[in-house]
Amino acid sequence: MSFSEQFPIVFAALNTGFLQTLKLFAVTLLGAIPLGLIISFGSMARFKPLAYLTRTIVWIFRGSPLMLQLLIIYFGPGLLFNNPIWGGGEKGRFLASAVAFILNYACYFSEIYRGGIQGVPRGQEEAGQVLGLSQGQIFFKVTLLQMIKRIVPPMSNEIITLVKDTSIARIISLQEIIWAGYAFAKSSHGISGQIWPLFFTGIYYLIFSGVLTLLFGYIEKKLDYFKV
């Protein structure tokens, strides 16, 4: 089979894999961004047992490899309790991957949130209290805007890292873009022993990361009016 015959087949498979990668990326952000904020509140709680418990969970997820967490979450229930809750299909693998990625990135995001919140001068919160604002009003009208300005650069770094980390999901045979490209090196669609599809997967990642870099650069410029 010539290159001109192989290319449409490979391109279609890579597009399918990229859609799975994009789906995992989007689901992770939708779950991890709000969960990370909740976790950050727990780690800053005045109730010390809750704060210590939350920080311990964050330490575990940040201190161990995402690949290990993915393997434990996917295979753990079946091996420990003889109850493979995820099932063996593609939907089950995707769901397990999404849970692992959301928990992992929520813990990373929580530390970014915590740094952003604690970086806001204490005097501004006290000024809000003097003006008679409630704690909720102080957070949304005073702290939140300044926190967003502070966290955009580190959040953008983590989100771009997430683009590349989605490839780890292939460890449980989730058919994302790297899995699709590597399949042609073994045997797929009648094509085997071909390494060039893997180089094309790199182009997908570079374009995706480039678009996100431009997007976050635009967001940072839009926030330049707000000095902290």
Side-chain angles (χ1 to χ4, degrees):
M1 188 181 296
S2 65
F3 177 81
S4 61
E5 294 173 321
Q6 292 177 357
F7 186 79
I9 298 172
V10 171
F11 188 65
L14 293 183
N15 283 341
T16 300
F18 180 69
L19 287 176
Q20 189 78 302
T21 294
L22 188 60
K23 182 180 174 183
L24 180 58
F25 172 83
V27 169
T28 300
L29 286 188
L30 288 174
I33 288 176
L35 180 58
L37 186 60
I38 294 171
I39 294 173
S40 71
F41 291 149
S43 65
M44 294 184 294
R46 295 180 180 178
F47 183 58
K48 293 303 181 183
L50 175 60
Y52 292 144
L53 175 62
T54 305
R55 291 176 185 178
T56 300
I57 293 172
V58 170
W59 171 68
I60 291 171
F61 276 94
R62 294 180 70 214
S64 58
L66 175 55
M67 182 182 295
L68 177 62
Q69 296 164 22
L70 184 58
L71 290 170
I72 291 174
I73 288 173
Y74 182 63
F75 293 109
L79 295 174
L80 295 175
F81 309 110
N82 197 29
N83 181 23
I85 59 175
W86 311 111
E90 188 72 8
K91 289 183 179 179
R93 288 191 289 269
F94 179 85
L95 183 58
S97 298
V99 170
F101 274 77
I102 288 172
L103 292 174
N104 180 275
Y105 270 84
C107 288
Y108 277 96
F109 289 164
S110 72
E111 289 298 283
I112 296 174
Y113 286 135
R114 186 170 67 87
I117 293 171
Q118 293 180 338
V120 177
R122 176 70 178 176
Q124 297 193 25
E125 181 179 346
E126 294 172 350
Q129 292 172 344
V130 170
L131 293 172
L133 299 178
S134 66
Q135 286 297 322
Q137 290 174 321
I138 291 172
F139 177 76
F140 286 105
K141 294 183 177 181
V142 179
T143 305
L144 183 62
L145 292 176
Q146 297 184 59
M147 180 194 75
I148 291 174
K149 169 68 176 179
R150 294 172 185 274
I151 69 173
V152 167
M155 284 288 282
S156 65
N157 287 336
E158 288 297 329
I159 291 172
I160 291 173
T161 298
L162 171 61
V163 173
K164 295 170 285 186
D165 276 355
T166 54
S167 62
I168 296 175
R170 66 180 295 271
I171 194 67
I172 61 170
S173 298
L174 183 70
Q175 298 180 22
E176 46 72 59
I177 190 170
I178 294 291
W179 189 96
Y182 181 64
F184 293 103
K186 299 182 292 182
S187 180
S188 180
H189 299 83
I191 302 172
S192 62
Q194 297 295 326
I195 194 68
W196 63 265
L198 279 175
F199 291 99
F200 277 86
T201 65
I203 295 175
Y204 280 82
Y205 282 113
L206 287 172
I207 293 174
F208 194 9
S209 298
V211 170
L212 289 175
T213 300
L214 292 174
L215 175 62
F216 284 115
Y218 173 77
I219 292 173
E220 286 188 49
K221 288 182 179 179
K222 295 294 287 184
L223 291 173
D224 278 345
Y225 73 91
F226 189 72
K227 304 298 181 183
V228 296

